[in-house]
Amino acid sequence: MDTEPLHPGEYVMYLRKSRADIEKEARGEMETLGKHERELVSMSKRMGIVVADIRRELVSGESIQDRHEFRHIMDEVMDRRWSGIVVHAVDRLGRGDMMEYGWILSVLQFTGTLIVTPGRTYDPSNREDMQQLQLQMFFANNELGAIKHRLRDGKEQAARDGQHIATVAPFGYRKVIVDGQKTLEPTEWAPTVVEIFEEVAAGAPLSTLSMRLIAREVPGKWNNRRIKTLIENPVYKGVIAWNRVVRAVESREGLALVKKTVRNDRPILADGLHDAIVSDELWEAANAMLGKNHKTRPATKFRNPLAGILRCEKCGRMMQYSHAGHREKAYSYYKHYKYSTCGCAPSRYEDVVAAVVSALEGVTEDLAVQIRDDGLASRRKAEKADLDRLLESCSRRIDRLMVLFEDDAIDIEEFRRRRRSIDTQIFQARGRLAEIEAMPDEDPRERIATLQSLVATLGDDGIDASARNVAAKKIIDCIYYAKEPGGDLRLKVELR
């Protein structure tokens, strides 16, 4: 172990499971993170390291984007909060692609953050240590690539052998293992699958079929898309299809890979080990009818001024704009997604728009009150001064806490408990300071004029709905809609 003196200050311990750890635990071996934590805590005490916080990552994600705790640590490292990171092995920091581990090494070197492991302490400012870190991350990345290729090849071979290796069994089947191979067997819902294929092959509209399945309380969320996916799945005629769709890298934004789901032109198709639920003829007939089931809707005029901003308060779905009646009796209204069990009741278009206008007028009146109350700025200034004093107090408390810990007046658990309490106060104070600093300095009179203009625009049905929608989205972030059957309409308007 490296015997060079360590940097003074606080260290953070990072614990993360690897693929190998998960496999060991599956074989009944002891819980990995707990074992590593005990080893690293003991090592830290011997080395005189003050571990102020322990972060646990319960995912084996190879990408930094999947590891939220590690990203949080790196943000703190860039703010120079930690003198070092205590970790079981260098590859626990990351073994993603070259751009990712290059970024990690660059941040560590730039900030002079130590990496403390049971085998060695690495100082990125030391050229030899930096070379060792680079080599270890390079070899870890190569090992990860080899593991991924072996896993992919194994899955592809299992699919060619007719095994069902997907995580979830299709509706109407359950996953079983026969002679050590993964396959499927029909469940009590297999006759329902046959009925769905027969109905689609007979030309039944998918929406009508969805409503029937919902009414019969068939398990699952039924809609047109799910029925279409079911009909197109060759597993029901006894065929295993693997990699019909794949995740392809489209571009890169910083460290994050931008991926999209695309159809694979060359999926693996093999006769499955399982029994088919429908015949080849019925499967082909139902798929042939899918195109005929689809109706192309002609282009319609934009009519919804609240498009993209009116949401159900309970479930978060967008409210839908619709029409009812004919000619002089026709009217417009907002309704909920028809397959949802949310229970949100519809409202007439005029009532919703009137309620939005009324809410905006209420905001305008509140701003007028603020103008009359010229003490708003002074109150913000006083609150900011109080928060600054609180942060200074927290800093002094941390210093005193460190003295108590170094003098063995308190143990590590008590230190962590008190430190978490202080960190919570710091986090809340900084969050409120950020809110105060982000508050617009614009003249409330300008805001009032903008709102008054929107009220006039939104309430005028003579103005094109598209123009009203554009105007509303510039001011309104979201409108939450709530109405129980037989109850009153309630709206909550959130401005940008």
Side-chain angles (χ1 to χ4, degrees):
M1 183 179 296
D2 191 358
T3 58
E4 292 296 319
L6 296 178
H7 292 185
E10 297 180 341
Y11 289 68
V12 60
M13 184 182 296
Y14 179 61
L15 302 166
R16 179 178 70 83
K17 285 185 179 180
S18 67
R19 294 178 189 268
D21 296 333
I22 295 173
E23 292 172 1
K24 289 178 183 177
E25 292 176 11
R27 295 195 298 267
E29 298 188 23
M30 66 186 302
E31 201 277 323
T32 307
L33 292 190
K35 177 183 176 183
H36 288 175
E37 180 176 352
R38 289 189 292 273
E39 292 176 355
L40 294 178
V41 167
S42 176
M43 177 197 74
S44 300
K45 287 183 177 179
R46 292 195 306 270
M47 299 177 69
I49 294 174
V50 178
V51 177
D53 200 359
I54 297 178
R55 307 286 175 79
R56 299 169 181 84
E57 198 89 71
L58 300 179
V59 295
S60 60
E62 63 206 52
S63 171
I64 292 176
Q65 299 304 314
D66 299 327
R67 296 189 283 131
H68 303 294
E69 285 294 338
F70 183 73
R71 286 161 54 192
H72 189 200
I73 288 176
M74 293 305 289
D75 288 339
E76 294 171 339
V77 166
M78 287 188 283
D79 290 338
R80 289 179 166 78
R81 177 177 176 182
W82 306 115
S83 294
I85 302 174
V86 180
V87 68
H88 186 260
V90 171
D91 63 5
R92 301 296 165 126
L93 297 178
R95 52 179 184 175
D97 61 23
M98 290 184 290
M99 179 175 283
E100 285 199 351
Y101 70 70
W103 175 77
I104 294 172
L105 292 174
S106 176
V107 171
L108 295 176
Q109 186 178 39
F110 174 72
T111 58
T113 305
L114 300 182
I115 302 301
V116 184
T117 71
R120 177 173 179 171
T121 297
Y122 299 88
D123 184 351
S125 62
N126 180 285
R127 188 172 67 176
E128 181 181 346
D129 286 357
M130 190 63 178
Q131 288 176 343
Q132 286 296 318
L133 286 172
Q134 291 171 337
L135 285 173
Q136 290 202 37
M137 286 196 169
F138 173 76
F139 288 129
N141 173 256
N142 283 349
E143 180 187 9
L144 176 62
I147 291 172
K148 289 166 66 177
H149 282 294
R150 288 198 299 270
L151 289 173
R152 185 196 64 192
D153 293 344
K155 288 181 178 179
E156 289 182 354
Q157 185 57 52
R160 291 189 180 95
D161 293 339
Q163 297 189 58
H164 181 271
I165 56 176
T167 306
V168 180
F171 176 73
Y173 282 109
R174 70 169 60 91
K175 296 170 64 176
V176 293
I177 296 178
V178 178
D179 297 331
Q181 294 183 304
K182 298 178 180 179
T183 185
L184 301 167
E185 68 176 14
T187 68
E188 67 275 13
W189 294 106
T192 304
V193 173
V194 177
E195 291 177 20
I196 293 173
F197 272 88
E198 290 175 342
E199 290 276 2
V200 174
L206 300 188
S207 57
T208 302
L209 185 53
S210 298
M211 296 302 290
R212 289 180 192 168
L213 294 170
I214 294 171
R216 289 167 52 187
E217 297 184 350
V218 177
K221 296 181 179 180
W222 292 99
N223 52 41
N224 293 13
R225 179 176 295 179
R226 186 183 181 192
I227 293 177
K228 184 175 182 294
T229 302
L230 183 149
I231 295 296
E232 291 178 338
N233 193 345
V235 73
Y236 292 107
K237 63 175 181 177
V239 174
I240 290 295
W242 181 249
N243 271 359
R244 287 190 298 165
V245 294
V246 294
R247 294 282 288 168
V249 177
E250 191 175 35
S251 61
R252 188 158 202 164
E253 295 178 359
L255 295 177
L257 295 175
V258 179
K259 299 181 180 180
K260 67 175 182 178
T261 302
V262 297
R263 282 192 175 275
N264 187 2
D265 295 333
R266 301 176 64 184
I268 295 174
L269 298 174
D271 291 334
L273 301 175
H274 64 285
D275 294 330
I277 290 180
V278 301
S279 65
D280 288 355
E281 294 77 15
L282 180 55
W283 190 90
E284 295 291 348
N287 275 269
M289 287 300 298
L290 280 181
K292 297 179 182 180
N293 253 306
H294 179 71
K295 296 180 180 179
T296 302
R297 179 178 294 180
T300 56
K301 183 180 178 181
F302 191 92
R303 300 176 183 275
N304 182 11
L306 302 180
I309 53 178
L310 186 65
R311 290 183 178 274
C312 173
E313 185 179 45
K314 186 180 295 184
C315 70
R317 284 185 179 271
M318 286 292 178
M319 298 298 293
Q320 296 182 337
Y321 178 85
S322 189
H323 301 277
H326 298 282
R327 296 180 182 177
E328 66 275 0
K329 294 183 179 180
Y331 64 92
S332 302
Y333 64 101
Y334 286 101
K335 65 177 184 178
H336 205 285
Y337 177 67
K338 63 181 177 181
Y339 298 120
S340 173
T341 57
C342 182
C344 187
S347 294
R348 282 186 175 257
Y349 160 81
E350 295 84 359
D351 295 339
V352 176
V353 173
V356 174
V357 168
S358 177
L360 294 174
E361 289 174 341
V363 175
T364 305
E365 293 175 1
D366 292 341
L367 288 173
V369 171
Q370 288 184 14
I371 292 175
R372 292 194 297 269
D373 183 5
D374 58 1
L376 180 61
S378 60
R379 287 201 303 274
R380 286 185 186 176
K381 185 177 180 180
E383 184 181 5
K384 192 172 182 295
D386 290 340
L387 292 170
D388 288 335
R389 284 192 291 271
L390 175 60
L391 289 174
E392 291 177 5
S393 173
C394 288
S395 178
R396 291 192 296 270
R397 288 165 60 193
I398 289 174
D399 292 339
R400 291 196 296 270
L401 191 60
M402 289 296 301
V403 172
L404 291 174
F405 179 72
E406 291 170 355
D407 291 343
D408 291 330
I410 57 176
D411 59 17
I412 185 65
E413 293 300 327
E414 179 66 15
F415 175 83
R416 290 178 190 160
R417 186 187 66 79
R418 296 189 187 183
R419 180 59 191 265
R420 280 196 296 268
S421 175
I422 298 173
D423 286 345
T424 299
Q425 294 183 42
I426 292 174
F427 177 79
Q428 293 173 346
R430 287 177 176 171
R432 180 54 185 162
L433 277 173
E435 290 179 3
I436 293 175
E437 292 173 356
M439 288 179 179
D441 295 328
E442 64 178 356
D443 189 342
R445 295 175 181 82
E446 295 181 6
R447 187 71 161 172
I448 288 175
T450 304
L451 287 170
Q452 288 174 338
S453 175
L454 177 58
V455 165
T457 301
L458 203 58
D460 188 352
D461 282 337
I463 300 175
D464 181 71
S466 177
R468 294 157 70 197
N469 183 247
V470 171
K473 286 181 175 178
K474 289 181 179 179
I475 306 291
I476 301 173
D477 183 53
C478 187
I479 303 172
Y480 290 100
Y481 175 104
K483 185 180 180 183
E484 299 295 332
D488 295 328
L489 169 65
R490 292 183 292 104
L491 296 181
K492 182 170 67 175
V493 181
E494 292 187 356
L495 302 181
R496 293 189 182 277

